[in-house]
Amino acid sequence: MKTRADLFAFLDAHGVAHSTLDHPPVFRVEEGLEIKAALPGGHTKNLFLKDAKGQLWLISALGETMIDLKRLHTVIGSARLSFGNAALMEETLGVTPGSVTAFGLINDAGGRVRFVLDAALAGADPVNFHPLSNDATTAVSQAGFRRFLAALGITPMIVDFTAMAVES
């Protein structure tokens, strides 16, 4: 599994400027409001899900976005969704509960996880994610985030969670 240093080296190698703020660990979106106030841009919540057919999903959304998990499967074309367990999260994304992040996709070498990006987050710039652990926050531009995804061969499914509709 790749480490924080590996992530930063990957971002550097792909021309993605990044800045990181170390802070005490945060486990929920509601925590660390003073940290968020010091960092501009979109702050994220990330959900690691598994559908009833075994497909894995990672949802990255603005922290304040409301996500109707009971209806989401009908929007993204999956079977019913539930939260993925910690062992599976560590196996595929290389992170532990509380540290789920889109940057964890760097560890999904098998391409097992489908990525869903909140339309509101797709419009935020910069975007802030944990760098594989919840004791820091790393900011990248929206263009840099898209470069990161492209370098991994990932095209996100963009979902407007207010309209509960896929945009692309």
Side-chain angles (χ1 to χ4, degrees):
M1 286 292 153
K2 299 209 178 345
T3 65
R4 176 174 159 169
D6 296 328
L7 170 65
F8 293 161
F10 184 86
L11 294 174
D12 292 342
H14 290 90
V16 178
H18 53 94
S19 62
T20 298
L21 174 68
D22 291 303
H23 53 70
V26 291
F27 293 91
R28 292 187 323 275
V29 171
E30 302 81 28
E31 294 178 17
L33 294 178
E34 67 285 349
I35 296 165
K36 292 175 182 132
L39 297 169
H43 293 274
T44 60
K45 68 177 166 188
N46 299 276
L47 307 176
F48 179 69
L49 305 171
K50 180 179 180 182
D51 74 22
K53 293 183 179 177
Q55 176 62 54
L56 304 178
W57 297 84
L58 175 63
I59 313 292
S60 289
L62 281 178
E64 60 271 15
T65 298
M66 299 299 294
I67 300 173
D68 184 347
L69 289 177
K70 291 180 180 174
R71 287 184 44 217
L72 182 58
H73 72 283
T74 64
V75 175
I76 63 174
S78 73
R80 288 210 175 267
L81 296 160
S82 60
F83 286 96
N85 67 45
L88 195 54
M89 180 188 308
E90 197 160 357
E91 176 187 322
T92 55
L93 298 177
V95 297
T96 56
S99 296
V100 180
T101 171
F103 288 143
L105 292 166
I106 195 171
N107 285 314
D108 183 27
R112 295 173 58 192
V113 180
R114 291 191 184 161
F115 183 55
V116 175
L117 180 62
D118 175 14
L121 183 60
D125 197 21
V127 290
N128 298 282
F129 293 97
H130 291 311
L132 307 178
S133 63
N134 64 355
D135 58 356
T137 300
T138 297
V140 297
S141 69
Q142 184 65 231
F145 180 57
R146 298 303 182 98
R147 234 179 351 267
F148 165 78
L149 293 173
L152 295 173
I154 295 170
T155 301
M157 177 188 299
I158 299 177
V159 173
D160 178 336
F161 286 104
T162 302
M164 287 301 280
V166 173
E167 287 192 354
S168 63

